[in-house]
């Protein structure tokens, strides 16, 4: 689904205005954009209409959508309810990525509790990623 993209920029590193982001990408001969926030809304708050407009604007400009930059698992590793909420957010993020025409959804490895992270924290964080794979496979 994703057209390979060697060089892209996160949308909100440039602007909240899609036309400005596209113009920037074209001016700097980038291959695409990665959608994090636009129109004053975080990725998780973009509407289906927003996503369709972004996909069309990029496509019309000859730009790829390099990925969808979700906030999934940017949460507390010790909160089962936050983790459950983020798995639901991932489901919506996958749907958004499909509208955008990309198969890459950026996720996080939870909020760090200590520096450096402990081996136990890393193992616990890693134990949640198969749940995201289940979503992608359609088994959750």
């Amino acid at each position: 689904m994703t057209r390979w993209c060697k060089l892209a920029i996160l949308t909100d590193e440039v602007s909240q205005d899609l036309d400005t982001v596209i113009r920037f990408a074209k001016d700097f001969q980038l291959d695409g954009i990665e959608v994090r926030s636009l129109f004053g809304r975080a990725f998780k708050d973009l509407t289906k209409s927003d996503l369709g407009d972004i996909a069309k604007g990029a496509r019309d400009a000859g730009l790829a959508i390099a990925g969808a930059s979700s906030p999934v698992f940017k949460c507390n590793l010790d909160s089962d309810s936050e983790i459950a909420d983020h798995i639901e957010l991932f489901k919506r993020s996958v749907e958004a990525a499909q509208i955008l025409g990309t198969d890459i959804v950026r996720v996080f490895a939870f909020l760090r509790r200590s520096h450096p992270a402990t081996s136990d924290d890393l193992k616990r964080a890693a134990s949640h990623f198969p749940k995201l794979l289940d979503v992608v496979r359609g088994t959750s």
Side-chain angles (χ1 to χ4, degrees):
M1 181 188 287
T2 299
R3 190 177 94 203
W4 182 249
C5 186
K6 288 184 179 182
L7 190 59
I9 190 150
L10 288 160
T11 53
D12 58 2
E13 294 291 333
V14 175
S15 176
Q16 289 295 311
D17 177 70
L18 179 60
D19 291 335
T20 302
V21 172
I22 288 171
R23 190 170 38 259
F24 178 92
K26 297 297 281 184
D27 287 350
F28 285 89
Q29 300 175 350
L30 304 179
D31 301 307
I33 59 175
E34 181 173 336
V35 180
R36 184 165 57 191
S37 74
L38 274 169
F39 317 122
R41 291 187 282 284
F43 178 78
K44 67 182 184 63
D45 299 321
L46 292 170
T47 66
K48 287 183 180 182
S49 177
D50 291 336
L51 297 166
D53 290 346
I54 295 165
K56 182 180 183 326
R59 185 176 51 250
D60 289 352
L63 296 170
I65 302 290
S69 189
S70 79
V72 171
F73 285 165
K74 197 172 190 180
C75 66
N76 184 347
L77 180 59
D78 294 321
S79 174
D80 291 339
S81 65
E82 286 183 35
I83 292 168
D85 289 346
H86 278 250
I87 291 170
E88 289 303 311
L89 177 58
F90 183 71
K91 290 176 183 176
R92 293 194 318 272
S93 297
V94 168
E95 292 170 2
Q98 291 171 335
I99 293 168
L100 290 168
T102 185
D103 53 8
I104 297 173
V105 176
R106 181 187 303 260
V107 299
F108 288 83
F110 296 90
L111 298 174
R112 189 174 8 196
R113 298 169 347 136
S114 62
H115 184 71
T118 67
S119 177
D120 180 58
D121 285 345
L122 294 174
K123 286 178 189 172
R124 288 178 48 231
S127 75
H128 294 286
F129 285 91
K131 297 170 189 172
L132 301 183
L133 293 174
D134 290 342
V135 168
V136 176
R137 291 181 186 122
T139 58
S140 77

